[in-house]
Amino acid sequence: MGSTGEAVEVSIEVFPYLRVYKDGTVERLAGTEVVPAGLDPEILVLSKDIVIVPETGVSARIYRPNNNNWTESDQKLPLVVYFHGGAFCISSTADPKYHASLNNLVAEANVILVSVNYRLAPEFPLPIAFEDCWAAIQWVASHVKGDGHDREAWLKECVDFEKVFLVGDSAGSSLAHHLSFRVKNSDTGRDLKVCGIGMINPYFWGKDPIGVEVSDEFRKKMVDSWWKFVCTSEEGCDDPLINPFVDGAPSLDGLGCDKVLVVVAEKDILRDRGRLYYKKLVNSGWAGKAEIMEVEDEDHVFHIFDHTTDRAKSLIKRLASFINQDGAFAV
């Protein structure tokens, strides 16, 4: 309502995520719930929130196992840097659905996990999310050699920095993809060893429809609108940030890791982009190994919406195996 009681008109509606009113107010319709960090007593995972870039307010929720078998040993654990989904415009590290899913991943894989809380569009349009996540990776890398008082003990004391994984779902997969190149081609790559990337229902897109997008015009237009809302570049849906196969996108043969897991879901409008990514990656000349997992009868990020289903549990087990498997694996 306006100052005189009249209704404020909607300027933009990004279904089903949010509305922007003509006075500039943003009303998010999803991904607004929050749950505090803390101990999950059932699966013995402990988490806490920490501000990692005070200048911008970028923060993270950090997870670690809290069982006696690990806490009483000197074992160093793999590190997962996680990027949540939400089309770059909704959700957070405190979202109860993400919190529950990541608790399960940490328990299953026995890892330290840093879930990055990057800033969201439209208040912070792209590429700000990419810059925030890059700053978070640099913060992680600062623990390899740094002994300053501002270092996080869970990272400094518990992490094997030769076993770092970038993992994300939906928009978070795009973040993981691009940031792996950035790590590889920077001084940060001398400190962090990115062993693998986990992409769950990756959010890649393009102007020209492929696969199911050709016949599903409604969802094609809907996803088009999401991207054009969060990224106003002249390239539109063929911006290299969302389409990894266009001119200007980094060549897949230079992907900055040794192995990749791509997970797609049968009913997901994004499924054919994930399949195409896998196909192009394995045929690119890239020296690593790639694996694809296809989940029948499920839609986009089903494992986040309900982490208790058998298929969700199977996905987490597959991701945990991917993280903990040494060396190459069969494709």
Side-chain angles (χ1 to χ4, degrees), residues 28 31 59-61 63 81-95 97-99 102 113-121 129 133 167-176 200 203 300-301 303-304:
R28 286 183 167 82
S59 62
R61 179 161 291 187
Y63 299 77
V81 182
Y82 193 90
F83 311 108
H84 70 78
F88 299 102
C89 62
I90 63 165
S91 201
S92 72
T93 55
D95 186 317
K97 295 181 177 64
Y98 275 104
H99 183 65
L102 295 182
L113 188 145
V114 174
S115 179
V116 182
N117 202 43
Y118 53 87
R119 291 173 290 175
L120 302 174
C133 292
V167 179
D169 66 277
S170 194
S173 294
S174 181
L175 288 161
I200 307 171
Y203 180 22
H300 194 62
V301 297
H303 69 297
I304 298 294

Side-chain angles (χ1 to χ4, degrees), residues 137-159:
I137 288 175
Q138 290 180 299
W139 174 80
V140 167
S142 72
H143 291 75
V144 177
K145 298 176 182 176
D147 294 319
H149 68 278
D150 58 337
R151 299 296 182 252
E152 168 54 48
W154 288 7
L155 270 62
K156 187 172 62 176
E157 298 172 3
C158 306
V159 166

Side-chain angles (χ1 to χ4, degrees), residues 195-216:
C195 295
I197 303 174
M199 299 180 175
I200 307 171
N201 303 151
Y203 180 22
F204 297 125
W205 204 236
K207 177 182 177 181
D208 297 326
I210 65 170
V212 70
E213 301 163 22
V214 175
S215 58
D216 196 340

Side-chain angles (χ1 to χ4, degrees), residues 8 44 46-47 68 135 207 248:
V8 178
L44 298 178
L46 186 63
S47 59
N68 290 336
K207 177 182 177 181

Side-chain angles (χ1 to χ4, degrees), residues 233-270:
S233 74
E234 294 181 357
E235 292 88 351
C237 293
D238 277 341
D239 188 293
L241 288 179
I242 197 66
N243 189 340
F245 315 125
V246 294
D247 290 343
S251 177
L252 293 180
D253 62 6
L255 192 65
C257 64
D258 297 328
K259 59 182 183 177
V260 170
L261 172 65
V262 180
V263 180
V264 298
E266 180 184 10
K267 295 182 177 179
D268 187 3
I269 186 65
L270 302 178

Side-chain angles (χ1 to χ4, degrees), residues 7 21 31 35 38-39 52 92 115 122 140 144 186 224 239 248 255 260 269 271 273 294-295 323:
Y21 294 90
V35 66
L39 176 65
I52 57 178
S92 72
S115 179
V140 167
V144 177
S186 71
D224 285 348
D239 188 293
L255 192 65
V260 170
I269 186 65
R271 74 181 190 202
R273 300 284 173 173
E294 301 203 20
V295 184
I323 291 168

